Amino acid sequence: TESTNDVTFELWTRMGSFMEYKGTYDGWDLIATGTTKGRGIGRYTTIPQEVFTEVSIPGGGGEGGTRAFYLPLNTRELLYKLGAPGMVSDSMAHAETPDIEVWDGEGVLFYPFPDPAQSFYYRAPRQFLGAIYYNRLPCKPFSLFGPVNELPCPEVPTGAPTVPPPPTGVPTPTPTGRPAIGQTPE
C-alpha cells in the first residue's frame, strides 16, 4: 500500500478465472478480512497469517488448476503495476516460478464490486506487486475436505542408505602435554 496507516482489507478467492465473476460475490470465498498497518511505497504490506485461511491450487492450468484472488481495501492506496499496453487481463503471466504463474488481472475502482457493464470502474491489465508465500506439496493431493498440510503423504521409495567410509588423512602429531594459548577449556 501507499499508506503507512491502518488499512482494512478483504481477500476473496475462487477456483478458475475471475473474468465471468466480476460484479458479483457469487462463486467467491472470503479467506481473510481485517486491519493491518500499511508499510508505504516500496515495502510490502502483509496480511497477518493468523487471519488468512490457506487455500489449495491443484495446478495444471485451465479452470481446474487456476485460482483467482480479489483484494479490496478501504482506501485507494493499493499499489499495482500497469500491464503491457494493448493486452487484455487474464491473458498472460507476468511473474512465474517452476510451481506457479501470476497472471495479469484488473484494478477495481469501487467497492463493493461494481456492475461490469460500468467498465470505467475497471482498469486492465494490472499486475500484482507483492510476495506470495506458498507450500509446495508435490506428494499431497488437492482436497476439498481440509488443509492439505493435514493429509497423509504416500510413502515414496528411496535408495538404500549408505554408510560413508571412515575419514582418511594424515595422523595428528603426538600431543605435547601442554595446552596451546587460546585453546584452553574454560
Side-chain angles (χ1 to χ4, degrees):
T1 65
E2 188 175 328
S3 175
T4 55
N5 298 319
D6 285 345
V7 177
T8 301
F9 65 89
E10 295 175 358
L11 182 59
W12 296 81
T13 187
R14 68 169 313 278
M15 287 300 301
S17 172
F18 69 92
M19 294 297 286
E20 300 299 320
Y21 292 86
K22 297 189 302 187
T24 179
Y25 286 102
D26 292 342
W28 291 88
D29 296 310
L30 182 64
I31 60 170
T33 184
T35 301
T36 190
K37 180 88 170 153
R39 297 191 63 213
I41 295 174
R43 301 182 70 198
Y44 295 143
T45 299
T46 59
I47 294 175
Q49 189 172 1
E50 60 272 8
V51 301
F52 184 84
T53 301
E54 292 183 11
V55 294
S56 295
I57 304 172
E63 284 297 304
T66 300
R67 183 171 283 280
F69 293 92
Y70 172 52
L71 176 64
L73 304 179
N74 68 334
T75 68
R76 291 187 179 186
E77 299 184 76
L78 181 65
L79 299 177
Y80 51 77
K81 182 178 175 183
L82 298 178
M87 296 299 294
V88 295
S89 60
D90 208 27
S91 65
M92 66 180 274
H94 70 268
E96 60 187 283
T97 71
D99 303 310
I100 63 171
E101 296 175 341
V102 179
W103 286 47
D104 288 356
E106 296 187 9
V108 183
L109 303 180
F110 192 77
Y111 178 86
F113 267 141
D115 182 343
Q118 297 175 314
S119 60
F120 51 88
Y121 286 120
Y122 293 86
R123 300 289 189 262
R126 297 297 185 258
Q127 297 177 352
F128 175 73
L129 292 176
I132 299 171
Y133 298 94
Y134 63 96
N135 290 324
R136 184 174 178 262
L137 302 170
C139 64
K140 295 187 180 185
F142 172 72
S143 173
L144 296 175
F145 303 105
V148 289
N149 292 336
E150 297 174 4
L151 296 175
C153 226
E155 291 185 27
V156 178
T158 61
T162 58
V163 177
T168 60
V170 180
T172 58
T174 307
T176 62
R178 44 191 177 126
I181 295 177
Q183 296 180 357
T184 56
E186 293 182 19

